[in-house]
Amino acid sequence: MTVRIERDSLGEREVPADAYWGIHTLRARENFPISGTMLSAHPALVNALAAVKEAAARANGDLGLLPQARRDAIVTACRRIRAGELHEQFCVDVVQGGAGTSSNMNANEVIANAALEALGTGFGRYDIVHPIDDVNGSQSTNDVYPTAIRLAVVTGLSGLVDELANLADAFDERGAAHRTVRKIGRTQLQDAVPMTVGDELGAFAVAIREDVARLGEAVPLLLECSLGGTAIGTGVTAPAGYREAVLAHLREITGLPVVPAHHLFEASWDAGGFLHASGALRRTAVKLSKICNDLRLLASGPQAGFGELRLPPRQAGSSIMPGKVNPVIPEVVNQIAFAVMGADLTVAVAAEGGQLQLNAFEPIIAHSLLQALAWLTNGVRVLRELCVEGITADERILADRVAVSVGTVTALVPTIGYEAAAAAAHRALRTGTPIADAVAAVSGMTRAEAAELLVG
């Protein structure tokens, strides 16, 4: 393997000659063989790091800190990354010590060498474009890394919200298609009163849209960024005018209304925005899991279960039982939800574990949030496309159950009183007769009158 020699404060190391990353990334790769999940697994975070670096280069250029050619080369490198190139070069493990320094240095080195390539110069010529002096100019991991996480989470939230809105629309459509199909509702797994399948599916849509609103509330908190605060919020090494300039460029680059944190020292350690977003994701996951539990229960059987809904069959359900088909799509969403709930606990503990002026555990916060977002987004899309859009009801079973259900007698309480209604219910259960016949027997109504009131 052809190599180049790079140097840092700890000494010299050989780096693959064709690698865009350098010695700092090499040491991080050796130090953190932890999860096997590379930074490139979170493309939104890679793109966000490149956006921050581009904004910084443009601001430093505005302030006369970067010559035009060097500035343009860095900007070109960042735009390549944001276009999807070079992501494989972001190869440090997502789980790392150092409060994200390894991720920041990985970005600095890849961008520096891509800038050198744009200038027609060989990799490692840091006398021309330096990863720290130039690419990381006026910055610190303390402000770059959390800003990039915030941007990446906002990007992920946008994709999830779109998929949730589509899922809600799908439930609405299926609800409208079954708006007149009567069924018996249940409380505590016992028969309650009549409703329609449309009522049930429409309620799922409303619940999902409530979560869309809650997720949206996290975005303004995440768009308060500490960029320009450099080390612990002091702003050391950042010149006058830099903070305003870099935020203006970041707004232009991302199209997001980023605003300065109101207190840089607080912003350098506070993970409140991440906690809020994680809590909203947990809420969404819990409710989606509840909906999937209901779908599995309502579709259970097909002969010895509820059997009221039919979910689209997607694959054979057993290696031994012929004809068995399992509710695999709701099941996978349940499992995603369990992981998201666990990720929320990780975020909470990591946020609490930060000490003094910096939270060293932002890497696990970033990974937990971004993985939760990616899994939820994929799961919601799969749930809609492979399950919800194909839901139908077994109208025969539902009609038969409504006809004999004692829950329907509740509607007669204002007319015949609670005692008579209870007597009719017990009679129907004891004799197995239709509820209309039981009501007629205890109330003095004709069967036709009772049936009309029950349907109404």
Side-chain angles (χ1 to χ4, degrees):
M1 180 179 65
T2 306
V3 299
R4 65 178 188 264
I5 303 298
E6 291 200 8
R7 299 165 183 82
D8 64 5
S9 60
L10 300 182
E12 294 185 350
R13 292 296 302 274
E14 292 181 346
V15 176
D18 61 350
Y20 285 79
W21 45 267
I23 188 170
H24 295 281
T25 302
L26 174 66
R27 294 193 191 280
R29 284 163 59 88
E30 293 172 343
N31 289 336
F32 309 121
I34 307 300
S35 70
T37 301
M38 301 297 103
L39 188 60
S40 58
H42 298 309
L45 182 55
V46 172
N47 289 339
L49 284 165
V52 171
K53 297 298 178 181
E54 179 179 342
R58 288 164 59 170
N60 285 328
D62 294 345
L63 297 171
L65 301 177
L66 269 181
Q68 185 72 30
R70 203 176 307 169
R71 169 203 178 277
D72 290 347
I74 292 172
V75 168
T76 296
C78 292
R79 290 179 179 176
R80 284 182 66 188
I81 293 165
R82 293 195 297 112
E85 297 183 53
L86 306 179
H87 279 219
E88 75 284 353
Q89 299 294 320
F90 289 77
C91 53
V92 297
D93 199 292
V94 293
V95 182
Q96 56 189 250
T101 296
S102 295
S103 295
N104 186 36
M105 287 305 303
N106 192 172
N108 289 334
E109 290 176 335
V110 171
I111 292 167
N113 283 303
L116 289 169
E117 188 173 49
L119 293 170
T121 305
F123 291 176
R125 287 295 309 275
Y126 299 147
D127 56 319
I128 298 174
V129 178
H130 196 279
I132 297 177
D133 293 339
D134 297 322
V135 180
N136 200 62
S138 306
Q139 304 153 65
S140 164
T141 298
N142 294 184
D143 62 348
V144 165
Y145 188 61
T147 297
I149 298 171
R150 289 167 179 270
L151 297 176
V153 172
V154 168
T155 299
L157 285 171
S158 176
L160 175 58
V161 162
D162 288 346
E163 289 296 345
L164 286 169
N166 291 338
L167 178 61
D169 289 345
F171 273 121
D172 268 340
E173 187 278 328
R174 289 290 78 202
H178 295 85
R179 66 184 179 276
T180 61
V181 179
R182 283 164 58 82
K183 62 164 290 179
I184 295 300
R186 296 178 178 87
T187 57
Q188 296 161 275
L189 293 180
Q190 304 300 303
D191 295 352
V193 296
M195 62 188 301
T196 70
V197 175
D199 295 330
E200 194 161 43
L201 299 181
F204 292 159
V206 172
I208 291 166
R209 290 197 177 96
E210 288 179 351
D211 288 323
V212 167
R214 300 293 79 77
L215 290 166
E217 291 168 357
V219 173
L221 300 177
L222 293 167
L223 292 178
E224 295 178 12
C225 73
S226 61
L227 202 57
T230 68
I232 73 169
T234 61
V236 63
T237 75
Y242 169 79
R243 189 179 185 208
E244 296 76 13
V246 73
L247 289 175
H249 284 297
L250 191 60
R251 284 191 288 271
E252 181 182 344
I253 291 165
T254 63
L256 295 171
V258 292
V259 297
H262 70 279
H263 194 286
L264 288 176
F265 289 94
E266 183 270 345
S268 73
W269 62 261
D270 181 42
F274 299 139
L275 285 168
H276 189 99
S278 184
L281 289 175
R282 181 195 62 209
R283 170 189 163 127
T284 301
V286 168
K287 290 171 66 177
L288 282 173
S289 192
K290 188 273 183 194
I291 289 169
C292 287
N293 290 340
D294 286 357
L295 292 177
R296 291 190 296 114
L297 190 58
L298 292 167
S300 61
Q303 293 170 302
F306 280 23
E308 296 182 355
L309 294 184
R310 298 193 190 99
L311 307 184
R314 290 299 170 189
Q315 62 189 64
S318 174
S319 62
I320 190 172
M321 292 176 280
K324 192 172 190 292
V325 178
N326 296 326
V328 294
I329 302 304
E331 287 174 349
V332 77
V333 175
N334 283 130
Q335 292 173 83
I336 291 168
F338 305 156
V340 173
M341 295 175 213
D344 178 61
L345 178 59
T346 299
V347 171
V349 174
E352 185 275 337
Q355 297 164 315
L356 304 177
Q357 279 69 58
L358 184 67
N359 190 310
F361 309 121
E362 285 178 341
I364 199 65
I365 290 175
H367 177 56
S368 299
L369 284 172
L370 294 173
Q371 179 174 275
L373 280 163
W375 286 17
L376 267 178
T377 303
N378 292 337
V380 169
R381 183 179 64 255
V382 166
L383 180 63
R384 172 178 57 84
E385 293 178 347
L386 300 185
C387 181
V388 174
E389 290 179 348
I391 287 175
T392 57
D394 190 320
E395 298 188 27
R396 181 189 60 80
I397 285 178
L398 292 170
D400 289 347
R401 288 177 179 167
V402 169
V404 300
S405 174
V406 298
T408 59
V409 79
T410 304
L412 300 184
V413 170
T415 303
I416 66 174
Y418 181 86
E419 296 298 334
H426 288 302
R427 181 184 182 91
L429 287 172
R430 186 176 66 254
T431 64
T433 57
I435 192 65
D437 292 334
V439 169
V442 303
S443 69
M445 291 183 179
T446 67
R447 187 188 188 286
E449 289 171 338
E452 184 177 352
L453 286 173
L454 288 166
V455 172

